[in-house]
Amino acid sequence: MAHRTLAAAVAAAAILSVAATAAPAVGSSNRWAHAAAGTVFLPNPVQQLGDESLIDAKDADYAALAPAYRRVTLSHLDGSGTLTGQYVAVKSSTGAAARTVDGAFPAWHRDADQFEQVMGYYWVTSAQEYLQHLGFGSALRPVNERQIALRVDQYGGDNSFFRGDKANITVGKGGVDDAEDGEVVVHEYGHSVQDGQVPGFGTTLESGAIGEAFGDYLAVVVTSWRAGAPTKTPEACVADWDSTSYTRTVPHCLRRLDGTKTYPADVVGEVHADGEIWSRALWDIRRALGDTKASTLIVEAQFAFAPDTTFRAAALDTVAAAQRLYGSSAAKAVTAAFHARGIL
């Protein structure tokens, strides 16, 4: 489902120190135990630098962006030297496929197609690692532990979307290339998460709005977990860098998680707009319970959703998950969040 409104060397001090490559342990039979260094935005330059004046400039790599590049470790690779991993396989784009050189991916910048490929791999993998960090796949049942295809820069429009029938994500290249913003990548992975939990999820306006809201929520919490909560831009602002191409107000945001919309007064029948009602409830749950408890119960609740769930039914499922996992105090906090939005 689309994420819109249906939208130079690197300074040494700016580089994270990582090993160039890591081989599996001796005797390991884990195909996915390989790692390699790569260069990314963490998660995007507007958020990192607090500079709302940054522009796409037709994919140019200019000096103001240099401090935003980071060397990181790409994990769960298959060791082939390509961006093929346990949870995501990056498909060919308009340029050559990214490959390792001497065990590491070169330090490509945004003027190279391979930079977006590395970004896409890193942020999908980070999203799955976040879910596992919450206990999914260990203490709790696994969530979306499948390999999805990520198609980078194959779509010329300023849009991205998940296709459940093929379990793949396409990220577009209009304006700021969508894969340059980690929050756009993780938003789309949010749709894959829900589809993995409830195949075909999002068949109605309300369930579709929940899908868009969860994608926005996951985008923010994953990037804050991986990179640290932003201090120079609002944490609740989604896709600060990508949205510079289509917004004029500052701060640049695709959407926000801390809006004031309520149900049913602010329902307009468009999934992205209506999703801001649901995402604010999720945001309030996180503020009340903290990231780990909130995100765990929010994701766990989705196993009980129907493909065509309503706001009210999904809210009741979320309250039930809070009660089951953390008891009555958590359930009361979740109920209060949905009540404030007019959902319960």
Side-chain angles (χ1 to χ4, degrees):
M1 188 173 293
H3 77 274
R4 302 263 187 276
T5 55
L6 265 33
V10 179
I15 303 177
L16 297 183
S17 177
V18 297
T21 185
V26 175
S28 171
S29 60
N30 185 356
R31 174 188 175 190
W32 310 109
H34 297 263
T39 297
V40 300
F41 290 142
L42 204 67
N44 68 61
V46 173
Q47 212 178 96
Q48 292 169 255
L49 307 177
D51 187 349
E52 300 283 354
S53 71
L54 297 174
I55 59 173
D56 178 52
K58 297 181 179 180
D59 283 351
D61 183 41
Y62 50 94
L65 296 171
Y69 292 103
R70 298 285 191 272
R71 286 297 270 179
V72 297
T73 298
L74 309 180
S75 60
H76 300 282
L77 290 161
D78 70 351
S80 67
T82 67
L83 290 169
T84 304
Q86 187 171 3
Y87 307 116
V88 56
V90 176
K91 299 302 181 182
S92 60
S93 69
T94 52
R99 297 192 67 91
T100 56
V101 177
D102 296 329
F105 290 95
W108 291 297
H109 285 191
R110 68 183 299 260
D111 54 347
D113 290 326
Q114 294 87 352
F115 175 74
E116 284 85 47
Q117 296 173 36
V118 173
M119 276 284 291
Y121 183 92
Y122 180 75
W123 283 109
V124 167
T125 302
S126 291
Q128 179 55 222
E129 289 175 339
Y130 173 77
L131 294 169
Q132 293 181 18
H133 143 80
L134 296 176
F136 293 101
S138 53
L140 300 165
R141 67 192 116 175
V143 171
N144 209 40
E145 287 187 4
R146 57 180 173 174
Q147 185 191 71
I148 65 164
L150 182 69
R151 302 183 181 279
V152 177
D153 291 351
Q154 293 186 9
Y155 179 70
D158 193 8
N159 213 340
S160 294
F161 46 89
F162 168 73
R163 286 189 60 176
D165 60 329
K166 295 183 179 294
N168 69 38
I169 292 171
T170 296
V171 282
K173 59 180 180 177
V176 171
D177 292 349
D178 284 2
E180 287 186 27
D181 194 322
E183 292 189 331
V184 175
V185 175
V186 178
H187 171 96
E188 297 305 332
Y189 189 69
H191 292 305
S192 180
V193 167
Q194 288 183 318
D195 178 77
Q197 293 180 280
V198 183
F201 182 80
T203 60
T204 61
L205 282 172
E206 288 197 6
S207 59
I210 289 170
E212 297 303 328
F214 175 71
D216 285 352
Y217 175 84
L218 191 68
V220 169
V221 299
V222 167
T223 56
S224 287
W225 172 74
R226 179 61 82 198
T231 59
K232 299 177 181 179
T233 59
E235 186 183 20
C237 178
V238 182
D240 320 54
W241 174 222
D242 183 68
S243 59
T244 61
S245 294
Y246 47 82
T247 60
R248 294 184 179 181
T249 57
V250 172
H252 296 288
C253 306
L254 169 60
R255 287 176 292 276
R256 294 183 65 122
L257 303 182
D258 58 356
T260 60
K261 292 180 180 180
T262 60
Y263 183 91
D266 294 307
V267 171
V268 297
E270 197 283 318
V271 292
H272 302 87
D274 294 348
E276 290 181 295
I277 302 170
W278 187 264
S279 64
R280 172 60 191 270
L282 302 186
W283 188 243
D284 286 346
I285 294 168
R286 184 173 181 258
R287 293 199 301 180
L289 300 178
D291 183 81
T292 299
K293 285 185 176 181
S295 295
T296 301
L297 73 87
I298 286 166
V299 174
E300 176 65 18
Q302 292 178 163
F303 281 110
F305 290 2
D308 60 349
T309 192
T310 64
F311 274 17
R312 178 175 173 80
L316 291 173
D317 287 334
T318 307
V319 172
Q323 177 70 46
R324 183 172 66 254
L325 291 175
Y326 304 117
S328 60
S329 178
K332 288 178 181 178
V334 173
T335 300
F338 287 120
H339 180 77
R341 295 301 102 211
I343 296 171
L344 291 179

